[in-house]
Amino acid sequence: MSELSLIIPAFNGARFLVEAIDGARSQSRPPDEIIVVDDGSTDDTPGVAATLEGAITYIRRDRNGGPSAARNLGLARAGGALIAFMDVDDRIRPGRLAIQEQLLVETGSDAVWGRLQMDHLKGGVWSGVIDDPAFMPSVPSMMFTASCLARVGGFDESLRSGEDLDLLRRMQAMGMRIERHEDIVIDYLRHGSNMTEDPAVLRAGVFAAVRRAISERRGTP
């Protein structure tokens, strides 16, 4: 069995960090290493990280660089041949890592991609999962071989959103194989502080990724 690294970017995620780590450790196939990348948090994320027991690699950036920069920093430290991601405010579904590792091995794919479901915080109470499970270009619902991420050059740090779409586009352009599966692997928590709650940031990243894809198809810079 190949070693598996789980990378968790965290920006102001103090209230979610313990639950994220507990969810990862309770997997039927737990990760061989967990890397938390604190992306310049201004809350008590460092303090919470200091209380975590067991083997956790904690890396702190002095200033916020966005999810791509945090993931790339985690990748630089990861030792596993397989790489999974989750955001600090995601809830990992039981069995997720075992399912995706088995599928990677059985299919010989470069990456596998599961489904995510959304849970909304309203009035301080989680409403329960109310959105239909969806296939979205979402890195936290994927597992990769480390070699494919090295070949594709990791994440584009100029993109603060749309980096999922950009990464998949570059992987496909290089002929890499991405296998989808029907299992729900992540609950994506919507709590009002998500980066995707800012329409301007979301649009800018997605439009940049789309413009780049069109330019490359046309052979223009």
Side-chain angles (χ1 to χ4, degrees), residues 120-127 190-191:
H120 296 254
L121 183 65
K122 295 183 177 179
V125 178
W126 292 109
S127 65
R190 301 298 296 268
H191 46 77

Side-chain angles (χ1 to χ4, degrees), residues 11-92:
F11 176 65
N12 290 345
R15 60 176 168 154
F16 301 109
L17 183 55
V18 171
E19 183 179 7
I21 298 299
D22 287 347
R25 285 176 167 166
S26 66
Q27 292 283 297
S28 58
R29 193 285 190 234
D32 297 289
E33 67 173 348
I34 299 174
I35 301 173
V36 176
V37 183
D38 182 348
D39 192 21
S41 295
T42 57
D43 68 354
D44 194 35
T45 295
V48 174
T51 69
L52 296 173
E53 298 180 353
I56 299 287
T57 299
Y58 173 75
I59 308 169
R60 177 169 170 81
R61 290 174 53 91
D62 291 333
R63 64 175 63 181
N64 179 261
S68 292
R71 289 175 183 146
N72 283 343
L73 184 56
L75 279 173
R77 292 287 296 273
L82 303 178
I83 306 290
F85 297 91
M86 65 178 286
D87 292 338
V88 70
D89 54 355
D90 291 332
R91 286 178 178 157
I92 189 169

